[in-house]
Amino acid sequence: MRAVPLMCLLALGVTGVLCLPSRPKKGSGTERVHDSQPSSEEHFAGEDHNANYDHDAFLGSEEAKKFETLTPEQSRERLRMLVPRVDTDKDGYVTEDELKNWVRFTQHRYIMEDVGKQWETHDTDKDGMLTWPEYRNTTYGPLTEEQMNQPEYHQYKKLFYRDQHRWGKADANNDKALTKDEYAAFLHPEEFEHMKTLVVDETLEDIDDDKDGYVSLEEYIGEARVDHSFCLCISRVS
């Protein structure tokens, strides 16, 4: 197992923490499927690595913003206090697994903070449970079925029914209301095992333009730049 001495990690400024996937492009239709990335920064700009992404992943985006205002000496001192929390076995080294676990912890903390902020908006009766009518009213407003069937509301209607389907999957005990944990599964389904089939379905729906049940290379990269027909077997999971 590879390990990094604590002082080396401090000297590096925690650059190159973890090679996580880059975020989906804005407007691609998939942002709501994979919306719990550890940073709003792009991980790579072309082939150039963006160290700010790793800083956000390691520190959390809010903490990383605070580090931007510190001097190098202050940053090293703050990291000196933080890194021992990553070194869980206290052997003076940070292993790859310890680093991954810390990034997962940071990401989970971000997810629950996000859930808490949105919960306050949607739980209008403040009863500690979130019903579909509450969420619908605060997110989509008073649109009727007739209005949603109008051509100009096509994309709106698609998102509405996707949310409704995802809501049903997140409601694990089928009591017609979500707890905060269930709402976390609704907002960030890729983080919950019982929601992963839904993530595949939603991703396939977004990318599979010709609706043949497969994702061609052209569909995957978003433009037809490849002449040969090569399909990725990402057929819908039943």
Side-chain angles (χ1 to χ4, degrees), residues 14-25 37-58 103:
V14 201
T15 300
V17 167
L18 200 59
C19 291
L20 297 174
S22 59
R23 302 172 70 249
K25 293 181 180 178
Q37 289 292 325
S39 175
S40 59
E41 298 274 351
E42 294 292 343
H43 201 180
F44 290 89
E47 295 184 358
D48 296 327
H49 177 254
N50 180 8
N52 288 334
Y53 181 98
D54 293 332
H55 295 164
D56 287 354
F58 184 79
V103 171

Side-chain angles (χ1 to χ4, degrees), residues 4-193:
V4 180
L6 295 185
M7 292 308 298
C8 289
L9 197 60
L10 293 172
L12 287 171
V14 201
T15 300
V17 167
L18 200 59
C19 291
L20 297 174
S22 59
R23 302 172 70 249
K25 293 181 180 178
K26 294 290 184 185
S28 66
T30 61
E31 303 100 305
R32 297 180 68 259
V33 176
H34 302 285
D35 56 1
S36 63
Q37 289 292 325
S39 175
S40 59
E41 298 274 351
E42 294 292 343
H43 201 180
F44 290 89
E47 295 184 358
D48 296 327
H49 177 254
N50 180 8
N52 288 334
Y53 181 98
D54 293 332
H55 295 164
D56 287 354
F58 184 79
L59 299 167
S61 58
E62 293 302 317
E63 190 68 18
K65 289 176 184 176
K66 296 177 184 177
F67 268 70
E68 292 174 2
T69 66
L70 302 178
T71 66
E73 292 76 16
Q74 290 172 326
S75 294
R76 282 194 291 272
E77 183 58 30
R78 292 284 289 274
L79 283 171
R80 195 186 310 277
M81 293 185 291
L82 176 63
V83 170
R85 295 172 60 189
V86 184
D87 178 28
T88 53
D89 62 8
K90 309 303 178 187
D91 66 349
Y93 291 84
V94 172
T95 66
E96 185 176 335
D97 284 343
E98 287 173 330
L99 201 52
K100 286 180 178 179
N101 288 337
W102 176 259
V103 171
R104 291 190 190 103
F105 166 79
T106 302
Q107 187 171 359
H108 180 73
R109 182 176 60 190
Y110 154 72
I111 287 172
M112 297 315 296
E113 288 173 355
D114 182 42
V115 168
K117 290 174 184 176
Q118 297 204 39
W119 185 271
E120 293 302 314
T121 299
H122 297 304
D123 182 23
T124 53
D125 62 7
K126 307 303 178 186
D127 67 346
M129 299 292 288
L130 192 58
T131 64
W132 172 250
E134 282 180 309
Y135 179 81
R136 171 180 173 159
N137 289 338
T138 55
T139 303
Y140 294 97
L143 275 181
T144 65
E145 186 74 21
E146 182 179 355
Q147 288 174 310
M148 284 200 296
N149 284 329
Q150 299 300 314
E152 60 267 30
Y153 289 106
H154 171 73
Q155 191 64 23
Y156 204 71
K157 181 179 180 180
K158 178 182 176 181
L159 289 176
F160 175 87
Y161 283 115
R162 171 176 286 190
D163 270 355
Q164 192 174 47
H165 178 64
R166 187 189 287 191
W167 187 276
K169 292 287 187 181
D171 184 14
N173 60 0
N174 296 312
D175 65 350
K176 309 303 181 185
L178 301 189
T179 63
K180 275 193 177 182
D181 285 341
E182 289 173 330
Y183 186 54
F186 171 78
L187 284 181
H188 302 278
E190 70 283 354
E191 297 296 318
F192 295 82
E193 192 64 36

